[in-house]
Amino acid sequence: MIPYFHRAQFLISAGKAKQFPVTGMEVAFAGRSNAGKSSAINTLCDNKGLARSSKTPGRTQLVNFFGLGEGLRVTDLPGYGYAQVSDSMREHWAELLGDYFRSRQSLRGLLLVVDIRRKITDYDRQMMAFAEAVGLPVHILLTKADKLKRGQAATAMLEVRKELGDRATVQQFSALN
Ligand code: GDP
């Protein structure tokens, strides 16, 4: 268990940069929709219902903040890559996330949740570019690792490491085990 994470509580859903909390420190979780981001947050916080609050209709396109106490936060960024999304929604997404990365003095790192079977997508690359533009470290959770055999999972991880070099640290992850 990561210290503090078990204390996570839903704080606020924000659709505009001016609603973002201003002080403290946070790490942000991003990922393609269905990659397993909510499951990863819930597992790491040991709270099965936690990120469900960010999946309620109307909140999936918002930035959701969870407080860990003492000014620490986990941020759940809107999932990206829905097949049926209008251009205006996609623009809103890019603007909101761009604002998020540019305005967050409190941001300390990006956790990118990637389905180990799908590898890195263009959306993931865009998130990495946002993080790199402001000098943030990126750590990749290659999740659903339980869905592959051990050898296949190791190969997938090697491929991602080869693509990214020292731009990000990478680990396998499973919300099940
Ligand atoms: P999100 O849209 O990125 O928040 O994705 P979810 O966390 O809702 O997960 C999408 C689907 O993948 C759900 O059916 C989860 O139960 C499943 N899932 C998520 N993580 C894992 C995992 O580590 N292993 C397996 N086997 N299934 C997972």
Side-chain angles (χ1 to χ4, degrees), residues 48-162:
K48 287 200 178 348
L50 192 69
R52 194 182 300 148
S53 51
S54 47
K55 292 212 130 187
T56 50
R59 279 190 186 160
T60 51
Q61 291 304 313
L62 301 175
V63 179
N64 296 286
F65 292 91
F66 300 99
L68 310 178
E70 299 177 34
L72 303 176
R73 284 183 302 273
V74 162
T75 308
D76 183 7
L77 296 173
Y80 38 87
Y82 289 97
Q84 273 126 21
V85 157
S86 64
D87 285 350
S88 67
M89 201 59 183
R90 214 162 277 155
E91 275 166 33
H92 170 73
W93 175 84
E95 193 182 310
L96 184 65
L97 292 185
D99 281 353
Y100 176 79
F101 280 97
R102 276 189 298 274
S103 71
R104 300 312 283 160
Q105 307 281 319
S106 53
L107 189 56
R108 293 296 183 271
L110 173 67
L111 274 292
L112 198 54
V113 180
V114 175
D115 185 326
I116 195 165
R117 299 163 304 172
R118 287 179 152 257
K119 319 255 177 59
I120 307 281
T121 66
D122 283 344
Y123 286 106
D124 299 316
R125 291 188 186 96
Q126 188 179 343
M127 294 305 295
M128 288 193 65
F130 280 142
E132 286 175 333
V134 289
L136 283 179
V138 179
H139 184 66
I140 297 184
L141 298 181
L142 288 179
T143 195
K144 309 194 192 182
D146 58 276
K147 294 217 181 213
L148 294 183
K149 295 204 172 94
R150 200 177 287 232
Q152 292 172 313
T155 305
M157 189 160 77
L158 271 180
E159 280 176 29
V160 172
R161 284 202 167 130
K162 202 165 143 195

Side-chain angles (χ1 to χ4, degrees), residues 24-44:
M25 286 191 283
E26 69 201 49
V27 289
F29 285 74
R32 226 184 127 85
S33 65
N34 221 37
K37 175 165 56 72
S38 309
S39 303
I41 292 173
N42 289 345
T43 300
L44 291 167

